[in-house]
Amino acid sequence: MDGGAIFGHISSWIYLGLAVYLVVVIAIGLYFSRGIKDCDDHVVGGRDISFVYLVGSTAATWLCAGAILGAAGYAYMFGFQGTLYDPWAPALTLFLSGLFFVYRMRQAGYTSIVDFYDSRYGKKMSILFMIIQIIGTMSWLAGQMVAAGVIVQVTTGFSFTTSIFIGTAAIIFITYSGGLKALSRLDTMNTVLIIVALVILFPAVIRGIGGWDFFVNNAKVWDKLPPFSMWPVSDARGFLYYVGLFGWISYIAAWLGVGLGDLSCAILMQRALAAKTERTASAGFVTAGFLYLAIALIPVMIGIAAFTYGFRITSPVDNEHVLIWAAEHFMPDWFGVLFVVMIAGAILSTAGDSVLINSTLIGHNLYRYFRPQASSVDTLKAVRIAIPATAIICMIIAIAFPSLYKLIVFAGCIGLPTVVPAFVAGLFWKKANLKGAVA
């Protein structure tokens, strides 16, 4: 089972580290399950999420496998241009949300963002939004499950499918038992793990390739683009080799597809709705944006450093292994355990958040569409039934379509041309109506 695995020689220690981590996850879920009496307790944490946990949970939601593994791989290949989709555009989402949107959403006291569409436009628009969000969230969740399979398979030799099975079981447990309050604590713990691991890894990588000055002066990437350029290049390389007007359109789309496309993201808005106050929601999102960008740029820089050093992948589809290689090559064995647990934690946080919001849309909103008189206890039962169903469906998608970064980007981009205009207009334009929103 360990043959060819990067950390195969310490796989027993990695299994132990993951086992300890799973015990902590179970303990958190069981502890917070005691306070869950109705649907609001489960899906918005009783609206009692403090600033610290809001920042940690919001940052962890975005610090997913795409930001840590996928962005490192795309930076290895395309430099900063390849990472506009993630982490730059998602950071823009958090800034804009914190400055203009989450205060109003929290003030309204909704249980989910679907309640906004329902109250502003009616049932037809809320159902349309649910369908789009469920498709996008399932794609996002499948991306996290792919990452779970990749990280365990590459580092220990454990099979891809078995790794996804185990990860799915953990996701179902923490989400089912503890709801958003448990997830917010788990998210914050995982954010700390990510910061510790990356802050240890980054200086070791830079020292290993010859120091900061050498890195800055000699940096290069696989596709021969300027490694630190965020603007289209004036020559034939353009933006990711798209030139002229089409190049600029592609560049703008890279920023706005996710940057604006996730403004109405149900996962993020759920955090705002769970915040203690409106000010907590606004300040928490802006702070999380800065924290997310600072953390997520570390894998980006490591990806560029790996190519500069001379590490070469056998195929472009293997670019998601770049960060794993850096951890194995530049760090001692003990770091391998921390690294794998850190990645597993990042995946579990984002995946758990995705399962919870999809289950909320199904159990709280869709269920009440058919049973308007359902009590909060009834909707809690419906949410909990939807949790394992959602996770299992996404597990099947992950096994069938194992392309990590594309799943993440698709999930973010689906919102911009569909529901975001109606969201923005509904908040800021009194004349917005159902016909315009559906159109």
Side-chain angles (χ1 to χ4, degrees):
M1 186 168 61
D2 297 339
I6 291 179
F7 293 124
H9 60 293
I10 58 167
S11 59
S12 296
W13 289 104
I14 290 176
Y15 297 148
L16 177 62
L18 290 173
V20 171
Y21 178 80
L22 289 175
V23 168
V24 173
V25 169
I26 292 170
I28 292 173
L30 291 175
Y31 179 81
F32 286 101
S33 67
R34 300 178 304 171
I36 295 177
K37 306 299 182 185
D38 58 25
C39 190
D40 271 11
D41 289 337
H42 196 270
V43 304
V44 289
R47 305 187 195 278
D48 193 35
I49 305 299
S50 66
F51 175 79
V52 171
Y53 290 119
L54 180 66
V55 171
S57 183
T58 305
T61 300
W62 253 206
L63 281 169
C64 63
I68 297 175
L69 295 180
Y74 265 58
Y76 170 95
M77 297 182 68
F78 308 113
F80 275 21
Q81 283 194 14
T83 61
L84 290 187
Y85 303 99
D86 195 355
W88 294 98
L92 177 63
T93 301
L94 293 176
F95 294 142
L96 293 176
S97 296
L99 292 172
F100 302 110
F101 297 98
V102 298
Y103 188 98
R104 293 186 177 212
M105 293 297 293
R106 176 62 183 86
Q107 190 176 50
Y110 301 122
T111 298
S112 79
I113 191 174
V114 174
D115 296 337
F116 160 76
Y117 284 97
D118 194 2
S119 66
R120 188 67 177 81
Y121 296 111
K123 291 293 183 184
K124 181 182 290 187
M125 186 61 193
S126 66
I127 293 295
L128 177 62
F129 174 82
M130 269 190 288
I131 293 171
I132 293 168
Q133 281 291 307
I134 288 171
I135 293 171
T137 305
M138 283 191 165
S139 176
W140 177 275
L141 176 55
Q144 309 316 307
M145 292 182 172
V146 169
V150 168
I151 187 67
V152 178
Q153 179 188 38
V154 173
T155 57
T156 68
F158 221 64
S159 77
F160 177 79
T161 303
T162 303
S163 302
I164 291 180
F165 282 147
I166 296 171
T168 302
I171 292 163
I172 291 173
F173 180 84
I174 184 70
T175 311
Y176 185 95
S177 59
L180 183 60
K181 188 163 283 191
L183 284 171
S184 69
R185 271 59 177 181
L186 180 68
D187 290 346
T188 303
M189 181 185 76
N190 290 334
T191 299
V192 172
L193 269 177
I194 292 167
I195 292 172
V196 170
L198 292 179
V199 166
I200 293 172
L201 176 60
F202 183 54
V205 172
I206 296 301
R207 284 195 304 269
I209 70 169
W212 181 257
D213 289 341
F214 176 86
F215 171 58
V216 172
N217 294 326
N218 296 277
K220 51 188 177 180
V221 295
W222 178 81
D223 213 21
K224 298 180 176 60
L225 289 162
F228 304 120
S229 173
M230 294 179 60
W231 290 89
V233 183
S234 58
D235 58 28
R237 292 173 292 178
F239 174 68
L240 298 177
Y241 287 88
Y242 296 111
V243 297
L245 178 61
F246 188 71
W248 279 101
I249 292 173
S250 299
Y251 176 75
I252 294 171
W255 276 104
L256 302 187
V258 174
L260 297 185
D262 272 336
L263 284 176
S264 61
C265 173
I267 300 173
L268 287 180
M269 285 299 154
Q270 202 76 358
R271 267 99 194 110
L273 299 176
K276 276 189 173 183
T277 67
E278 295 87 351
R279 291 183 180 275
T280 301
S282 295
F285 268 60
V286 173
T287 305
F290 283 110
L291 179 64
Y292 168 76
L293 189 59
I295 298 171
L297 281 176
I298 296 177
V300 169
M301 302 296 279
I302 291 174
I304 297 172
F307 189 89
T308 304
Y309 179 79
F311 172 63
R312 298 294 181 266
I313 53 179
T314 56
S315 169
V317 299
D318 294 328
N319 68 72
E320 290 150 7
H321 300 173
V322 169
L323 193 67
I324 302 170
W325 171 85
E328 187 271 341
H329 189 83
F330 292 105
M331 297 300 296
D333 287 346
W334 64 263
F335 184 81
V337 179
L338 175 62
F339 180 80
V340 175
V341 172
M342 177 267 291
I343 294 291
I347 294 165
L348 190 59
S349 282
T350 305
D353 298 336
S354 301
V355 169
L356 179 62
I357 191 59
N358 244 24
S359 302
T360 302
L361 296 179
I362 295 169
H364 170 72
N365 294 105
L366 189 59
Y367 180 67
R368 280 193 165 175
Y369 181 78
F370 294 103
R371 288 196 59 192
Q373 304 305 317
S375 68
S376 188
V377 174
D378 291 333
T379 55
L380 173 61
K381 293 177 182 177
V383 167
R384 282 181 159 168
I385 290 171
I387 286 169
T390 296
I392 291 170
I393 291 171
C394 291
M395 179 185 69
I396 294 170
I397 295 172
I399 294 171
F401 303 101
S403 180
L404 171 61
Y405 197 81
K406 290 179 182 178
L407 283 169
I408 304 299
V409 171
F410 170 77
C413 291
I414 193 174
L416 179 58
T418 51
V419 294
V420 170
F423 175 65
V424 175
L427 281 175
F428 296 103
W429 191 31
K430 292 182 179 180
K431 293 183 178 181
N433 55 49
L434 176 61
K435 288 184 179 180
V438 172

